[in-house]
Short mmCIF file of all heavy atoms in Angstrom, two decimals:
data_model
loop_
_atom_site.label_atom_id
_atom_site.label_comp_id
_atom_site.label_asym_id
_atom_site.label_seq_id
_atom_site.Cartn_x
_atom_site.Cartn_y
_atom_site.Cartn_z
N ILE A 27 -6.67 -31.12 14.31
CA ILE A 27 -6.46 -30.03 15.28
C ILE A 27 -4.99 -29.61 15.28
O ILE A 27 -4.68 -28.41 15.28
CB ILE A 27 -6.88 -30.47 16.70
CG1 ILE A 27 -8.39 -30.70 16.77
CG2 ILE A 27 -6.45 -29.41 17.73
CD1 ILE A 27 -9.23 -29.48 16.56
N LEU A 28 -4.08 -30.57 15.29
CA LEU A 28 -2.65 -30.25 15.27
C LEU A 28 -2.27 -29.49 14.00
O LEU A 28 -1.47 -28.55 14.04
CB LEU A 28 -1.82 -31.53 15.38
CG LEU A 28 -1.85 -32.24 16.74
CD1 LEU A 28 -1.09 -33.56 16.67
CD2 LEU A 28 -1.29 -31.35 17.84
N ILE A 29 -2.85 -29.90 12.88
CA ILE A 29 -2.61 -29.18 11.62
C ILE A 29 -3.14 -27.75 11.74
O ILE A 29 -2.51 -26.79 11.30
CB ILE A 29 -3.28 -29.91 10.44
CG1 ILE A 29 -2.61 -31.27 10.22
CG2 ILE A 29 -3.20 -29.07 9.16
CD1 ILE A 29 -3.32 -32.14 9.20
N GLY A 30 -4.32 -27.61 12.37
CA GLY A 30 -4.91 -26.28 12.55
C GLY A 30 -4.06 -25.40 13.45
O GLY A 30 -3.91 -24.19 13.20
N LEU A 31 -3.49 -25.97 14.51
CA LEU A 31 -2.63 -25.20 15.40
C LEU A 31 -1.35 -24.76 14.67
O LEU A 31 -0.89 -23.62 14.85
CB LEU A 31 -2.27 -26.03 16.63
CG LEU A 31 -3.43 -26.37 17.59
CD1 LEU A 31 -2.97 -27.31 18.68
CD2 LEU A 31 -4.03 -25.10 18.19
N THR A 32 -0.81 -25.65 13.85
CA THR A 32 0.35 -25.29 13.05
C THR A 32 0.00 -24.19 12.06
O THR A 32 0.77 -23.23 11.87
CB THR A 32 0.87 -26.53 12.29
OG1 THR A 32 1.17 -27.57 13.22
CG2 THR A 32 2.12 -26.17 11.49
N ALA A 33 -1.18 -24.31 11.44
CA ALA A 33 -1.63 -23.28 10.50
C ALA A 33 -1.83 -21.94 11.21
O ALA A 33 -1.60 -20.87 10.62
CB ALA A 33 -2.94 -23.72 9.83
N SER A 34 -2.24 -21.98 12.48
CA SER A 34 -2.44 -20.75 13.25
C SER A 34 -1.12 -20.03 13.47
O SER A 34 -1.03 -18.80 13.38
CB SER A 34 -3.11 -21.06 14.59
OG SER A 34 -4.36 -21.67 14.41
N ILE A 35 -0.08 -20.81 13.78
CA ILE A 35 1.25 -20.21 13.96
C ILE A 35 1.73 -19.60 12.64
O ILE A 35 2.23 -18.47 12.61
CB ILE A 35 2.25 -21.27 14.46
CG1 ILE A 35 1.84 -21.77 15.86
CG2 ILE A 35 3.67 -20.70 14.49
CD1 ILE A 35 2.66 -22.95 16.35
N ALA A 36 1.55 -20.36 11.56
CA ALA A 36 1.95 -19.86 10.24
C ALA A 36 1.15 -18.61 9.87
O ALA A 36 1.70 -17.67 9.28
CB ALA A 36 1.75 -20.94 9.18
N ALA A 37 -0.14 -18.59 10.22
CA ALA A 37 -0.99 -17.44 9.91
C ALA A 37 -0.51 -16.20 10.67
O ALA A 37 -0.49 -15.09 10.12
CB ALA A 37 -2.44 -17.74 10.27
N THR A 38 -0.13 -16.39 11.93
CA THR A 38 0.37 -15.26 12.73
C THR A 38 1.63 -14.67 12.11
O THR A 38 1.77 -13.45 11.99
CB THR A 38 0.66 -15.72 14.17
OG1 THR A 38 -0.53 -16.28 14.74
CG2 THR A 38 1.11 -14.55 15.02
N VAL A 39 2.53 -15.55 11.68
CA VAL A 39 3.77 -15.09 11.04
C VAL A 39 3.46 -14.38 9.72
O VAL A 39 4.00 -13.30 9.43
CB VAL A 39 4.72 -16.28 10.80
CG1 VAL A 39 5.94 -15.84 9.99
CG2 VAL A 39 5.15 -16.90 12.12
N ALA A 40 2.55 -14.98 8.91
CA ALA A 40 2.23 -14.42 7.59
C ALA A 40 1.58 -13.04 7.73
O ALA A 40 1.95 -12.10 7.01
CB ALA A 40 1.30 -15.36 6.83
N VAL A 41 0.64 -12.92 8.65
CA VAL A 41 -0.05 -11.63 8.84
C VAL A 41 0.92 -10.59 9.36
O VAL A 41 0.89 -9.42 8.95
CB VAL A 41 -1.25 -11.80 9.80
CG1 VAL A 41 -1.81 -10.44 10.21
CG2 VAL A 41 -2.34 -12.63 9.14
N SER A 42 1.82 -10.98 10.26
CA SER A 42 2.81 -10.05 10.79
C SER A 42 3.71 -9.53 9.68
O SER A 42 3.96 -8.32 9.58
CB SER A 42 3.64 -10.73 11.88
OG SER A 42 2.83 -11.15 12.95
N LEU A 43 4.20 -10.44 8.84
CA LEU A 43 5.08 -10.04 7.74
C LEU A 43 4.34 -9.15 6.75
O LEU A 43 4.88 -8.13 6.28
CB LEU A 43 5.63 -11.27 7.03
CG LEU A 43 6.64 -12.12 7.80
CD1 LEU A 43 7.00 -13.37 7.02
CD2 LEU A 43 7.89 -11.31 8.11
N LEU A 44 3.09 -9.52 6.43
CA LEU A 44 2.30 -8.74 5.48
C LEU A 44 2.05 -7.33 6.01
O LEU A 44 2.14 -6.34 5.27
CB LEU A 44 0.97 -9.44 5.21
CG LEU A 44 0.05 -8.82 4.15
CD1 LEU A 44 0.73 -8.84 2.79
CD2 LEU A 44 -1.27 -9.59 4.09
N THR A 45 1.77 -7.24 7.31
CA THR A 45 1.51 -5.93 7.93
C THR A 45 2.77 -5.08 7.94
O THR A 45 2.72 -3.88 7.65
CB THR A 45 0.99 -6.12 9.36
OG1 THR A 45 -0.20 -6.92 9.34
CG2 THR A 45 0.66 -4.78 9.99
N VAL A 46 3.92 -5.69 8.25
CA VAL A 46 5.18 -4.95 8.26
C VAL A 46 5.50 -4.42 6.87
O VAL A 46 5.88 -3.25 6.70
CB VAL A 46 6.33 -5.84 8.78
CG1 VAL A 46 7.68 -5.19 8.53
CG2 VAL A 46 6.15 -6.13 10.26
N VAL A 47 5.35 -5.28 5.85
CA VAL A 47 5.62 -4.86 4.47
C VAL A 47 4.68 -3.74 4.06
O VAL A 47 5.09 -2.76 3.42
CB VAL A 47 5.48 -6.06 3.51
CG1 VAL A 47 5.52 -5.59 2.05
CG2 VAL A 47 6.59 -7.08 3.76
N PHE A 48 3.41 -3.85 4.46
CA PHE A 48 2.43 -2.83 4.12
C PHE A 48 2.78 -1.49 4.75
O PHE A 48 2.74 -0.44 4.10
CB PHE A 48 1.03 -3.27 4.57
CG PHE A 48 -0.04 -2.25 4.35
CD1 PHE A 48 -0.54 -2.01 3.08
CD2 PHE A 48 -0.54 -1.50 5.42
CE1 PHE A 48 -1.53 -1.05 2.88
CE2 PHE A 48 -1.51 -0.55 5.22
CZ PHE A 48 -2.01 -0.32 3.95
N ILE A 49 3.15 -1.52 6.05
CA ILE A 49 3.50 -0.28 6.75
C ILE A 49 4.76 0.34 6.15
O ILE A 49 4.85 1.57 5.98
CB ILE A 49 3.69 -0.57 8.26
CG1 ILE A 49 2.35 -0.96 8.90
CG2 ILE A 49 4.28 0.64 8.96
CD1 ILE A 49 2.46 -1.40 10.34
N GLN A 50 5.74 -0.50 5.81
CA GLN A 50 6.98 0.02 5.25
C GLN A 50 6.76 0.64 3.87
O GLN A 50 7.43 1.61 3.51
CB GLN A 50 8.01 -1.10 5.15
CG GLN A 50 8.57 -1.55 6.49
CD GLN A 50 9.55 -2.70 6.37
OE1 GLN A 50 9.59 -3.40 5.35
NE2 GLN A 50 10.32 -2.93 7.42
N SER A 51 5.84 0.08 3.10
CA SER A 51 5.60 0.59 1.75
C SER A 51 4.57 1.72 1.72
O SER A 51 4.38 2.36 0.68
CB SER A 51 5.10 -0.54 0.84
OG SER A 51 3.88 -1.08 1.32
N LEU A 52 3.91 1.99 2.88
CA LEU A 52 2.87 3.01 2.92
C LEU A 52 3.38 4.40 2.56
O LEU A 52 2.75 5.10 1.76
CB LEU A 52 2.20 3.00 4.30
CG LEU A 52 0.89 3.79 4.43
CD1 LEU A 52 -0.15 3.27 3.43
CD2 LEU A 52 0.35 3.68 5.85
N PRO A 53 4.51 4.87 3.14
CA PRO A 53 5.00 6.21 2.77
C PRO A 53 5.27 6.33 1.26
O PRO A 53 4.95 7.35 0.65
CB PRO A 53 6.28 6.37 3.59
CG PRO A 53 6.11 5.44 4.74
CD PRO A 53 5.35 4.27 4.20
N GLU A 54 5.87 5.29 0.69
CA GLU A 54 6.15 5.31 -0.75
C GLU A 54 4.85 5.37 -1.55
O GLU A 54 4.75 6.09 -2.54
CB GLU A 54 6.95 4.08 -1.13
CG GLU A 54 7.37 4.05 -2.60
CD GLU A 54 8.21 2.83 -2.93
OE1 GLU A 54 8.71 2.18 -1.99
OE2 GLU A 54 8.36 2.53 -4.13
N PHE A 55 3.85 4.60 -1.10
CA PHE A 55 2.56 4.60 -1.79
C PHE A 55 1.88 5.96 -1.70
O PHE A 55 1.34 6.47 -2.69
CB PHE A 55 1.66 3.52 -1.19
CG PHE A 55 0.28 3.48 -1.77
CD1 PHE A 55 0.04 2.96 -3.02
CD2 PHE A 55 -0.80 3.99 -1.04
CE1 PHE A 55 -1.24 2.93 -3.56
CE2 PHE A 55 -2.09 3.97 -1.57
CZ PHE A 55 -2.30 3.44 -2.83
N ILE A 56 1.93 6.56 -0.51
CA ILE A 56 1.32 7.89 -0.32
C ILE A 56 2.03 8.91 -1.20
O ILE A 56 1.40 9.78 -1.82
CB ILE A 56 1.36 8.29 1.16
CG1 ILE A 56 0.45 7.38 1.99
CG2 ILE A 56 0.94 9.75 1.33
CD1 ILE A 56 0.55 7.62 3.48
N GLY A 57 3.37 8.82 -1.26
CA GLY A 57 4.13 9.73 -2.11
C GLY A 57 3.77 9.57 -3.57
O GLY A 57 3.64 10.55 -4.31
N TRP A 58 3.63 8.31 -4.00
CA TRP A 58 3.24 8.05 -5.40
C TRP A 58 1.86 8.61 -5.71
O TRP A 58 1.64 9.21 -6.76
CB TRP A 58 3.27 6.54 -5.65
CG TRP A 58 2.78 6.16 -7.02
CD1 TRP A 58 3.47 6.20 -8.19
CD2 TRP A 58 1.46 5.70 -7.34
NE1 TRP A 58 2.68 5.78 -9.23
CE2 TRP A 58 1.44 5.47 -8.75
CE3 TRP A 58 0.32 5.44 -6.59
CZ2 TRP A 58 0.31 5.00 -9.41
CZ3 TRP A 58 -0.82 4.97 -7.24
CH2 TRP A 58 -0.82 4.77 -8.63
N MET A 59 0.92 8.44 -4.76
CA MET A 59 -0.42 8.97 -4.95
C MET A 59 -0.40 10.49 -5.02
O MET A 59 -1.06 11.09 -5.89
CB MET A 59 -1.33 8.53 -3.79
CG MET A 59 -1.78 7.07 -3.88
SD MET A 59 -2.90 6.78 -5.28
CE MET A 59 -4.30 7.77 -4.78
N ALA A 60 0.38 11.12 -4.14
CA ALA A 60 0.47 12.58 -4.13
C ALA A 60 1.06 13.09 -5.43
O ALA A 60 0.58 14.08 -6.02
CB ALA A 60 1.29 13.04 -2.94
N GLN A 61 2.11 12.43 -5.92
CA GLN A 61 2.74 12.84 -7.17
C GLN A 61 1.80 12.64 -8.35
O GLN A 61 1.72 13.49 -9.26
CB GLN A 61 4.02 12.04 -7.38
CG GLN A 61 4.82 12.47 -8.62
CD GLN A 61 5.27 13.91 -8.53
OE1 GLN A 61 5.80 14.34 -7.50
NE2 GLN A 61 5.05 14.68 -9.59
N SER A 62 1.04 11.54 -8.33
CA SER A 62 0.09 11.26 -9.40
C SER A 62 -1.01 12.32 -9.43
O SER A 62 -1.40 12.80 -10.51
CB SER A 62 -0.53 9.87 -9.22
OG SER A 62 0.46 8.86 -9.30
N LEU A 63 -1.50 12.71 -8.26
CA LEU A 63 -2.53 13.75 -8.19
C LEU A 63 -1.97 15.09 -8.66
O LEU A 63 -2.67 15.84 -9.36
CB LEU A 63 -3.05 13.86 -6.75
CG LEU A 63 -3.93 12.69 -6.27
CD1 LEU A 63 -4.24 12.84 -4.78
CD2 LEU A 63 -5.24 12.62 -7.07
N ALA A 64 -0.72 15.37 -8.28
CA ALA A 64 -0.10 16.63 -8.71
C ALA A 64 0.08 16.66 -10.22
O ALA A 64 -0.19 17.67 -10.87
CB ALA A 64 1.25 16.81 -8.00
N ASP A 65 0.51 15.53 -10.78
CA ASP A 65 0.68 15.45 -12.24
C ASP A 65 -0.66 15.59 -12.95
O ASP A 65 -0.76 16.27 -13.99
CB ASP A 65 1.33 14.11 -12.61
CG ASP A 65 2.78 14.02 -12.15
OD1 ASP A 65 3.36 15.08 -11.84
OD2 ASP A 65 3.30 12.90 -12.08
N PHE A 66 -1.68 14.96 -12.40
CA PHE A 66 -3.01 15.05 -13.00
C PHE A 66 -3.53 16.49 -12.95
O PHE A 66 -4.11 16.99 -13.92
CB PHE A 66 -3.98 14.11 -12.29
CG PHE A 66 -5.41 14.26 -12.74
CD1 PHE A 66 -5.81 13.73 -13.96
CD2 PHE A 66 -6.35 14.93 -11.96
CE1 PHE A 66 -7.13 13.86 -14.39
CE2 PHE A 66 -7.65 15.07 -12.38
CZ PHE A 66 -8.05 14.53 -13.60
N TRP A 67 -3.30 17.14 -11.81
CA TRP A 67 -3.77 18.52 -11.66
C TRP A 67 -3.03 19.45 -12.64
O TRP A 67 -3.65 20.33 -13.25
CB TRP A 67 -3.56 18.99 -10.23
CG TRP A 67 -4.00 20.42 -10.00
CD1 TRP A 67 -3.22 21.50 -9.81
CD2 TRP A 67 -5.36 20.86 -9.95
NE1 TRP A 67 -3.99 22.63 -9.64
CE2 TRP A 67 -5.32 22.27 -9.73
CE3 TRP A 67 -6.59 20.26 -10.06
CZ2 TRP A 67 -6.46 23.05 -9.62
CZ3 TRP A 67 -7.75 21.03 -9.95
CH2 TRP A 67 -7.67 22.40 -9.74
N SER A 68 -1.72 19.20 -12.81
CA SER A 68 -0.96 20.02 -13.78
C SER A 68 -1.48 19.80 -15.19
O SER A 68 -1.61 20.75 -15.96
CB SER A 68 0.53 19.63 -13.69
OG SER A 68 1.05 19.91 -12.41
N TRP A 69 -1.74 18.53 -15.52
CA TRP A 69 -2.27 18.24 -16.85
C TRP A 69 -3.63 18.88 -17.06
O TRP A 69 -3.93 19.44 -18.12
CB TRP A 69 -2.36 16.73 -17.04
CG TRP A 69 -3.07 16.32 -18.30
CD1 TRP A 69 -2.56 16.23 -19.55
CD2 TRP A 69 -4.47 15.99 -18.40
NE1 TRP A 69 -3.53 15.86 -20.45
CE2 TRP A 69 -4.72 15.71 -19.77
CE3 TRP A 69 -5.53 15.91 -17.49
CZ2 TRP A 69 -5.98 15.34 -20.23
CZ3 TRP A 69 -6.77 15.55 -17.95
CH2 TRP A 69 -7.00 15.27 -19.30
N LEU A 70 -4.48 18.80 -16.04
CA LEU A 70 -5.84 19.34 -16.13
C LEU A 70 -5.82 20.84 -16.30
O LEU A 70 -6.50 21.41 -17.17
CB LEU A 70 -6.65 18.95 -14.89
CG LEU A 70 -8.11 19.41 -14.84
CD1 LEU A 70 -8.89 18.77 -15.98
CD2 LEU A 70 -8.74 19.06 -13.50
N THR A 71 -5.02 21.54 -15.46
CA THR A 71 -4.95 23.00 -15.56
C THR A 71 -4.33 23.42 -16.87
O THR A 71 -4.73 24.44 -17.46
CB THR A 71 -4.16 23.58 -14.38
OG1 THR A 71 -2.88 22.93 -14.30
CG2 THR A 71 -4.91 23.35 -13.06
N GLY A 72 -3.34 22.66 -17.36
CA GLY A 72 -2.73 22.99 -18.65
C GLY A 72 -3.71 22.80 -19.79
O GLY A 72 -3.77 23.60 -20.73
N SER A 73 -4.53 21.74 -19.73
CA SER A 73 -5.50 21.46 -20.77
C SER A 73 -6.58 22.53 -20.81
O SER A 73 -7.10 22.86 -21.88
CB SER A 73 -6.14 20.07 -20.55
OG SER A 73 -5.16 19.07 -20.60
N LEU A 74 -6.93 23.05 -19.63
CA LEU A 74 -8.00 24.06 -19.56
C LEU A 74 -7.46 25.48 -19.79
O LEU A 74 -8.23 26.45 -19.83
CB LEU A 74 -8.69 23.98 -18.20
CG LEU A 74 -9.45 22.67 -17.91
CD1 LEU A 74 -10.02 22.69 -16.51
CD2 LEU A 74 -10.56 22.46 -18.94
#
């Protein structure tokens, strides 16, 4: 039980850090996706 309680504290910290990193990287990821779609659309229209 004591090990489980310690693991719970560690889990709370790990999930918090993971969520913060995810939120911070979200704008960059969205920008990358938008640029990738724009590049794909340019390639597609140029090919056609």
Side-chain angles (χ1 to χ4, degrees):
I27 294 295
L28 290 175
I29 294 172
L31 293 174
T32 303
S34 300
I35 296 172
T38 303
V39 174
V41 170
S42 299
L43 290 175
L44 185 63
T45 302
V46 169
V47 170
F48 176 76
I49 293 174
Q50 289 178 342
S51 61
L52 193 58
E54 183 178 345
F55 176 75
I56 293 174
W58 175 81
M59 284 292 295
Q61 185 61 47
S62 298
L63 289 173
D65 292 343
F66 174 76
W67 179 252
S68 298
W69 172 83
L70 181 63
T71 53
S73 299
L74 296 177

